[in-house]
Amino acid sequence: MEYIPASTIVSRTKKPGNWFGIEYNMNIYKGCCHGCIYCDSRSSCYRIGEFDVVKAKQNALEIIRDELRRKSAGVIGTGAMSDPYNPYEKELLLTRHALELADAFGFGMAIATKSTLITRDTDILSDIAEHSPVLCQITITTSRDDLAEKIEPGVPPSSKRFEAVRRLADAGIFTGILLMPVLPFLEDSPEDIRELVRMAEESGARFIYPYFGVTLRQNQRDWFLEKLQETFPGQGLAEKYLERYGSRYRCQSPRARTLFGILQEECEKRGILWDMKDITHAYRKNYRLM
Ligand code: SF4
């Protein structure tokens, strides 16, 4: 593991409260080796060289301890730029120890991951939930394992991620699904969305937060289109993207409205939340934090 210098690790969000009510962002690792073909974090605007090589921030736990000691309590989000449960975390335990610090200093946590390793930390997440909000967001972009293995090659298949949702939910931790991106022409079938909501219900998910499309920019677009050709040869998917979206940033599924309608209807039937305001209210409502 390569270590890189860092002066800050926990920073105030630009618009506190906007994204699941999170007040702080924390990235202990830089880069990600999960290899999702659509990953936005590899865009050159973030200036992360060698994105696929995971690096850890030097003295991360000392820096986090010092920062939490000086900050007012709030919910810390992690997982936006790099998965906090990459394969190295199994040995390094940096995310786990950071959760212990959040617990000790009275902070809440909102974690986004595609890894089932998060279930290892169920005990600490439960401890945090004793005093502060905890939100686990497991990203699942398709109900189909065969498809997930192709577009997210470095993480467990969707069915294993649903199992992780089940384990966290069984422990009483507020857990749901980030359904994003939903890749146009690949993952945007009404059947897949219906099946995904059904599996979410079975696993005890409290919410599904969707984006029916994908964002593409700069070098990330080129990488994605190349990967589409490599992974799905002969299907003309890259051509379809270029024809429909050109160099557009937001590439919404042509079926986005229909899919959103299906998601709302299926979720409401099952008591699963899908609206950001409702999700944020629900996971924070029993706490007097902030
Ligand atoms: S897990 Fe997230 S950060 Fe890692 S490659 Fe996939 S999309 Fe990118």
Side-chain angles (χ1 to χ4, degrees):
M1 169 63 59
E2 189 183 329
Y3 287 86
I4 48 169
S7 46
T8 58
I9 294 181
V10 181
S11 54
R12 193 97 191 159
T13 52
K14 286 202 181 98
K15 292 183 185 164
N18 258 16
W19 182 253
F20 294 106
I22 292 167
E23 280 88 9
Y24 300 99
N25 275 321
M26 175 176 80
N27 283 300
I28 297 174
Y29 295 100
K30 202 167 181 181
C32 184
C33 57
H34 285 163
C36 310
I37 66 168
Y38 50 73
C39 179
D40 170 68
S41 302
R42 68 173 56 251
S43 301
S44 46
C45 62
Y46 301 120
R47 295 190 200 137
I48 306 175
E50 299 178 298
F51 180 77
D52 301 288
V53 181
V54 178
K55 296 167 185 136
K57 296 189 180 160
Q58 222 158 32
N59 304 322
L61 298 172
E62 287 84 340
I63 296 170
I64 294 169
R65 183 181 298 111
D66 198 45
E67 288 177 326
L68 297 191
R69 191 180 286 135
R70 288 182 284 111
K71 291 184 191 298
S72 52
V75 173
I76 303 169
T78 188
M81 292 297 296
S82 157
D83 198 315
Y85 289 101
N86 60 57
Y88 306 98
E89 167 60 22
K90 215 171 178 181
E91 301 289 317
L92 290 178
L93 304 168
L94 294 175
T95 298
R96 182 173 174 86
H97 292 321
L99 295 183
E100 288 167 350
L101 290 171
D103 182 29
F105 287 98
F107 283 74
M109 285 304 307
I111 305 176
T113 182
K114 289 191 179 92
S115 171
T116 52
L117 184 57
I118 187 175
T119 58
R120 177 200 65 189
D121 294 342
T122 305
D123 55 341
I124 305 173
L125 292 168
S126 298
D127 289 347
I128 297 174
E130 293 283 320
H131 54 79
S132 303
V134 173
L135 175 75
C136 291
Q137 309 147 72
I138 309 297
T139 302
I140 302 177
T141 67
T142 173
S143 64
R144 289 174 45 196
D145 281 355
D146 60 328
L147 194 50
E149 278 166 20
K150 286 183 175 159
I151 60 178
E152 295 150 349
V155 286
S158 299
S159 55
K160 294 280 174 216
R161 285 180 254 167
F162 277 114
E163 276 174 36
V165 173
R166 172 88 270 160
R167 288 181 62 184
L168 292 162
D170 282 351
I173 296 166
F174 195 101
T175 305
I177 290 161
L178 277 187
L179 172 55
M180 59 178 64
V182 173
L183 297 179
F185 315 119
L186 265 178
E187 298 181 303
D188 58 347
S189 80
E191 299 72 41
D192 195 0
I193 300 304
R194 284 201 182 89
E195 180 60 6
L196 192 137
V197 180
R198 191 193 64 72
M199 291 169 85
E201 182 190 27
E202 258 181 28
S203 64
R206 301 287 304 278
F207 68 90
I208 302 176
Y209 189 68
Y211 176 61
F212 293 107
V214 60
T215 55
L216 296 176
R217 58 182 149 197
Q218 308 155 325
N219 58 317
Q220 174 223 0
R221 168 182 286 100
D222 302 338
W223 200 79
F224 173 65
L225 296 180
E226 240 171 67
K227 288 282 167 192
L228 278 184
Q229 268 167 333
E230 230 177 85
T231 319
F232 303 95
Q235 295 190 30
L237 285 169
E239 290 78 6
K240 274 193 191 172
Y241 269 79
L242 284 170
E243 196 183 313
R244 183 158 186 110
Y245 304 111
S247 58
R248 224 183 289 166
Y249 171 58
R250 284 184 188 282
C251 307
Q252 210 176 47
S253 161
R255 296 170 169 158
R257 280 179 72 151
T258 310
L259 298 178
F260 197 48
I262 292 171
L263 181 99
Q264 285 179 336
E265 195 186 317
E266 295 294 321
C267 282
E268 271 161 24
K269 269 199 275 186
R270 296 168 160 87
I272 297 175
L273 304 172
W274 51 268
D275 178 75
M276 173 68 74
K277 257 198 302 185
D278 295 339
I279 301 164
T280 303
H281 173 75
Y283 92 92
R284 293 172 74 115
K285 71 178 179 201
N286 295 328
Y287 300 92
R288 291 190 55 220
L289 228 194
M290 304 143 289

